[in-house]
């Protein structure tokens, strides 16, 4: 199925010859197409659908530009931009099907992935991600950093203790920036 965002995204990229991020493409599409912000009631599902539609359009565009114009649309996490044939660097992968790019393209070009992903699936994916980055010992370390003795403090207690220590160590008040950042990291970890 042809993605209706291919044309608008190509126009956006044409106006940014040095490339741009997916986030900037998302903002531009929201400005141009109000219905793009009405894909779901749940905020996480909304973001997933917007992301999926953008990536699907980018991979469709990548394929057609290469086949028809011998231009490569480079799609990376930080920058999406067009490359001429002379600028293309070949992947270290020996097989197209084994490359990370090919696997990403296959996922985003499969409309079933869009259709089957609902609010519960997005929530499961996010929880899986957050649990994956949660390392054992981080909680104890965060509690120690915030000088909290309880193993199960309330969010209100964490917030109160963070604010107390942040005022003391804030760089604008003569505090140490590294200590302040450590406090903020501990706070963010415990508030999740």
């Amino acid at each position: 199925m042809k993605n209706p965002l291919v044309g608008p995204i190509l126009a956006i990229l044409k106006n940014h010859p040095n490339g741009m991020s997916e986030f900037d493409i998302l903002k531009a599409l929201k400005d141009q197409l109000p219905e793009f912000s009405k894909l779901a009631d749940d905020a996480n599902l909304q973001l997933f659908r917007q992301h999926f539609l953008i990536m699907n359009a980018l991979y469709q565009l990548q394929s057609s530009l290469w086949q028809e114009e011998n231009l490569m649309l480079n799609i990376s996490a930080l920058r999406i931009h067009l490359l001429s044939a002379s600028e293309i660097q070949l992947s270290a992968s020996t097989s197209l099907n084994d490359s990370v790019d090919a696997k990403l393209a296959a996922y985003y070009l499969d409309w079933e992935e869009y259709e089957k992903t609902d609010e519960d699936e997005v929530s499961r994916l996010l929880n899986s991600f957050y649990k994956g980055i949660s390392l054992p010992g981080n909680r104890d370390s965060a509690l120690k950093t915030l000088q909290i003795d309880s193993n199960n403090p309330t969010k209100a207690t964490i917030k109160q203790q963070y604010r107390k220590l942040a005022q003391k160590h804030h760089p604008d008040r003569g505090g140490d920036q590294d200590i302040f950042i450590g406090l903020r990291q501990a706070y963010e970890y415990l508030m999740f």
Side-chain angles (χ1 to χ4, degrees):
M1 177 168 90
K2 184 81 168 167
N3 187 321
L5 297 179
V6 169
I9 289 175
L10 187 55
I12 292 167
L13 290 172
K14 181 181 175 189
N15 291 328
H16 296 86
N18 292 326
M20 59 193 309
S21 69
E22 179 195 358
F23 179 71
D24 290 330
I25 292 172
L26 173 67
K27 287 191 310 187
L29 288 171
K30 283 180 172 182
D31 290 343
Q32 291 177 18
L33 309 166
E35 60 275 7
F36 191 59
S37 294
K38 299 174 186 171
L39 298 173
D41 292 331
D42 178 72
N44 289 330
L45 182 58
Q46 166 81 4
L47 186 57
F48 169 82
R49 288 181 175 171
Q50 290 169 332
H51 167 74
F52 190 96
L53 290 171
I54 289 170
M55 296 306 289
N56 175 276
L58 287 170
Y59 282 111
Q60 284 189 26
L61 189 56
Q62 183 184 57
S63 177
S64 64
L65 285 173
W66 179 251
Q67 292 171 9
E68 299 165 15
E69 309 293 337
N70 207 25
L71 290 173
M72 178 66 181
L73 180 62
N74 186 30
I75 303 169
S76 71
L78 299 177
R79 187 169 153 228
I80 298 160
H81 64 285
L82 286 167
L83 298 169
S84 66
S86 63
E87 298 173 299
I88 297 172
Q89 293 180 351
L90 298 177
S91 169
S93 175
T94 57
S95 168
L96 180 61
N97 292 334
D98 290 339
S99 74
V100 172
D101 293 336
K103 290 176 182 176
L104 283 171
Y107 174 82
Y108 287 112
L109 290 171
D110 184 353
W111 282 108
E112 285 183 29
E113 295 293 343
Y114 179 86
E115 293 166 359
K116 77 178 185 183
T117 305
D118 59 10
E119 186 177 334
D120 291 338
E121 178 66 8
V122 170
S123 181
R124 187 193 66 72
L125 288 168
L126 287 173
N127 287 334
S128 172
F129 168 75
Y130 291 133
K131 285 178 184 170
I133 62 171
S134 176
L135 301 173
N138 282 353
R139 182 167 179 76
D140 292 339
S141 176
L143 290 169
K144 184 177 178 182
T145 298
L146 290 179
Q147 302 169 9
I148 298 173
D149 294 328
S150 170
N151 285 334
N152 261 339
T154 65
K155 293 202 183 273
T157 300
I158 295 166
K159 190 176 209 174
Q160 180 182 12
Q161 185 63 12
Y162 165 73
R163 285 185 175 168
K164 176 182 151 188
L165 293 172
Q167 282 183 338
K168 180 180 175 182
H169 296 286
H170 197 286
D172 290 346
R173 296 188 174 146
D176 184 280
Q177 181 175 344
D178 290 337
I179 292 173
F180 178 77
I181 290 172
L183 292 170
R184 186 63 194 199
Q185 287 174 317
Y187 171 77
E188 292 293 336
Y189 180 84
L190 293 172
M191 291 303 281
F192 171 74

